[in-house]
């Protein structure tokens, strides 16, 4: 690929890439060229994908951009049976909290919550239609510090918090009987959502404090007694995620197969009955 770009630079008489020992970034000319040819490359890919219509089963690469929670809690129930049904499809999944333009960054589709969906996209429900946050702590912590009975009492507890990327710390939101309560508790640990979220879970299991996270993420620890639910009547529910993709006449065969598979899957459910609903986590 590097030799091909150098040959193109020699032919055009313009440098397209800045090259250092640590990175390669496009020049202004390279960025403009990439901007212009990306739609054309997409059309070429779509044209070549027509060949898939003559196969017994679809083949090719499918690239998805999803939030970490979907990669951990939603896709594990979908991906294995999908790959078993379509062994010639290579699924590439990128999990991150950054909101991306899936088309501009070369993804076929994404998974996001409703208010983060891009406009002019087709959205298909994927995974549970209602999810919930759960507050929990280790038995040892609760025996030492006591059990909170109202969200405001969290201000007197050690709480293990997380943030999306480099954004602000999100308040903990609870709801009961139409009443919403937001608190910003303090604690000994702040984890970045995604790569270090499991560190916060491990710290909660070790007795460092109270954690407030997706119920399905904490459920295995709750079921085996390593964590004990607290403030359960106040747990916040929110609507589940969507698979979204560009609205276009011809979908690549791997994406079309995935969309059809998701649509045909039985509706996923939450582990327990939902409480008052919101549109997304952290709202």
């Amino acid at each position: 690929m590097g030799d091909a770009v150098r040959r193109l630079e020699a032919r055009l008489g313009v440098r397209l890439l800045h090259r250092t020992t640590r990175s390669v970034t496009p020049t202004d000319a390279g960025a403009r060229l990439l901007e212009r040819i990306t739609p054309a490359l997409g059309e070429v890919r779509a044209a070549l994908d027509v060949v898939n219509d003559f196969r017994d089963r679809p083949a090719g690469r499918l690239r998805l951009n999803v939030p970490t929670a979907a990669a951990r809690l939603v896709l594990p129930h979908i991906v294995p049976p999908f790959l078993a049904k379509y062994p010639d499809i290579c699924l590439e999944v990128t999990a991150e909290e950054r909101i991306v333009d899936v088309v501009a960054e070369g993804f076929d589709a994404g998974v996001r919550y409703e208010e983060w969906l891009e406009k002019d996209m087709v959205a298909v429900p994927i995974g549970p239609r209602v999810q919930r946050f759960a507050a929990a702590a280790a038995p040892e912590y609760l025996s030492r510090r006591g059990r909170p009975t109202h969200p405001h009492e969290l201000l007197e507890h050690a709480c293990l918090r997380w943030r999306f990327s480099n954004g602000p710390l999100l308040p903990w939101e609870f709801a009961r009987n139409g009443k919403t309560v937001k608190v910003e508790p303090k604690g000994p640990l702040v984890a970045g959502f995604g790569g270090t979220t499991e560190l916060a879970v491990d710290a909660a299991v070790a007795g460092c404090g109270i954690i407030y996270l997706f119920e399905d993420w904490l459920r295995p620890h709750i079921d085996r007694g390593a964590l004990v639910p607290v403030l359960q009547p106040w747990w916040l529910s929110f609507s589940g995620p969507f698979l979204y993709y560009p609205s276009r006449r011809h979908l690549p065969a791997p994406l079309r197969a995935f969309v059809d598979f998701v649509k045909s899957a039985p509706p996923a459910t939450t582990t327990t009955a939902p409480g008052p609903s919101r549109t997304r986590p952290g709202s």
Side-chain angles (χ1 to χ4, degrees), residues 67-70 72-73 96-97 133 161-165 170 190-198 212-214 217 281:
T68 302
R72 183 179 180 90
L73 306 177
E96 57 183 333
E97 308 320 310
F133 277 139
R161 303 184 67 185
W162 46 267
R163 72 170 88 230
F164 287 118
S165 301
L170 296 176
V190 175
F193 193 80
T196 57
T197 307
E198 198 60 39
Y212 193 45
L213 191 62
F214 288 85
W217 201 316

Side-chain angles (χ1 to χ4, degrees), residues 84-148:
K85 184 174 182 179
Y86 299 104
D88 295 328
I89 292 178
C90 176
L91 180 61
E92 181 179 333
V93 179
T94 297
E96 57 183 333
E97 308 320 310
R98 182 175 61 100
I99 304 302
V100 304
D101 182 332
V102 291
V103 176
E105 300 205 20
F107 294 97
D108 297 293
V111 173
R112 288 291 180 261
Y113 287 87
E114 187 171 2
E115 77 291 353
W116 288 335
L117 292 175
E118 298 176 28
K119 295 180 179 179
D120 302 321
M121 291 280 180
V122 179
V124 176
I126 184 172
R129 298 327 308 141
V130 177
Q131 293 180 280
R132 189 162 68 161
F133 277 139
E140 181 273 330
Y141 173 87
L142 296 177
S143 65
R144 176 166 44 91
R145 298 289 300 272
R147 181 191 295 265

Side-chain angles (χ1 to χ4, degrees), residues 3-23:
D3 290 340
V5 173
R6 288 187 177 90
R7 288 196 297 270
L8 181 59
E9 288 176 328
R11 178 181 175 184
L12 297 175
V14 175
R15 182 181 292 275
L16 301 176
L17 297 176
H18 293 298
R19 301 174 179 86
T20 70
T21 56
R22 295 186 177 183
S23 65

Side-chain angles (χ1 to χ4, degrees), residues 119-239:
K119 295 180 179 179
D120 302 321
M121 291 280 180
V122 179
V124 176
I126 184 172
R129 298 327 308 141
V130 177
Q131 293 180 280
R132 189 162 68 161
F133 277 139
E140 181 273 330
Y141 173 87
L142 296 177
S143 65
R144 176 166 44 91
R145 298 289 300 272
R147 181 191 295 265
T149 59
H150 189 280
H152 285 150
E153 295 177 13
L154 292 172
L155 299 176
E156 302 171 3
H157 281 266
C159 294
L160 310 175
R161 303 184 67 185
W162 46 267
R163 72 170 88 230
F164 287 118
S165 301
N166 294 322
L169 282 172
L170 296 176
W172 288 7
E173 184 176 356
F174 299 86
R176 184 180 186 184
N177 298 329
K179 181 181 179 181
T180 298
V181 176
K182 289 185 179 181
V183 295
E184 297 195 18
K186 307 297 182 182
L189 178 66
V190 175
F193 193 80
T196 57
T197 307
E198 198 60 39
L199 173 63
V201 177
D202 291 341
V205 171
C208 295
I210 298 174
I211 192 168
Y212 193 45
L213 191 62
F214 288 85
E215 179 183 2
D216 288 341
W217 201 316
L218 299 181
R219 177 53 56 185
H221 303 284
I222 293 174
D223 288 345
R224 65 183 177 86
L227 292 175
V228 176
V230 297
L231 298 173
Q232 193 162 358
W234 289 89
W235 290 358
L236 182 72
S237 296
F238 49 91
S239 59

Side-chain angles (χ1 to χ4, degrees), residues 246-271:
S247 176
R248 56 193 180 195
R249 185 173 305 172
H250 181 82
L251 290 182
L255 176 57
R256 185 170 64 249
F258 190 71
V259 170
D260 291 343
F261 188 86
V262 168
K263 287 181 176 179
S264 65
T269 59
T270 53
T271 53

